[in-house]
Amino acid sequence: MKMIISIINRDDRNALTSALMDAGYQATVVGTTGGFLRQGNATLLIGVEDEKVQGALDLIEKNCHTRTVFMTPFTGMGTEEMIMVEPVEVQVGGAVTFIMNVEQFTTC
Ligand code: 2BA
């Protein structure tokens, strides 16, 4: 068994969750925040049998899209020393996915 941890854009969360449910996968959605952009994203925990991993990855790829986000770098300046800082372009996602072996799985 594997645990798929997939960090996705929150705008893709509903489409991906529905696609996974429709295909018979079980998933838990956690609201998370990216360390770099400090913006809300979503993390899906998907426990799957080994032979179903690729099917889940296919659905992730199909439902999660790359986006361009603009962020304004932090200047460290106070409000009295306002300076214009150009926003920089950052490519985000489609999905950042980790796949881990599950040693044991129990429910009670
Ligand atoms: P964030 O940390 O908010 O990062 C958003 C995007 O900013 C990243 O997209 C990447 O393109 C860019 N980025 C991140 N750190 C950067 C840096 N030091 N300098 C320049 N650009 C940087 P993705 O790579 O698609 O990552 C999307 C989200 O996935 C991340 O949001 C984070 O929440 C998660 N993530 C990515 N890699 C991870 C990792 N190795 N471990 C844990 N979470 C990760």
Side-chain angles (χ1 to χ4, degrees):
M1 187 176 199
K2 297 280 191 287
M3 173 59 73
I4 300 174
I5 300 177
S6 189
I7 304 158
I8 67 169
N9 192 292
R10 61 182 162 185
D11 293 339
D12 294 329
R13 178 185 51 192
N14 289 341
L16 177 57
T17 306
S18 297
L20 288 167
M21 298 294 116
D22 290 348
Y25 289 94
Q26 293 198 37
T28 297
V29 185
V30 186
T32 46
T33 304
F36 184 65
L37 292 179
R38 311 289 165 95
Q39 287 180 4
N41 49 30
T43 298
L44 270 69
L45 308 177
I46 312 162
V48 291
E49 300 304 327
D50 288 12
E51 60 273 16
K52 292 182 74 182
V53 168
Q54 190 56 51
L57 295 179
D58 290 345
L59 290 174
I60 292 168
E61 190 176 340
K62 191 173 167 196
N63 287 280
C64 297
H65 309 291
T66 304
R67 289 175 174 80
T68 302
V69 174
F70 290 89
M71 75 167 296
T72 306
F74 178 66
T75 64
M77 295 276 193
T79 48
E80 290 167 15
E81 302 166 83
M82 289 272 282
I83 55 166
M84 296 301 288
V85 180
E86 286 292 317
V88 294
E89 211 178 276
V90 178
Q91 292 287 327
V92 185
V96 174
T97 302
F98 302 87
I99 303 169
M100 282 166 290
N101 288 318
V102 174
E103 196 167 308
Q104 199 177 348
F105 169 65
T106 65
T107 58
C108 60

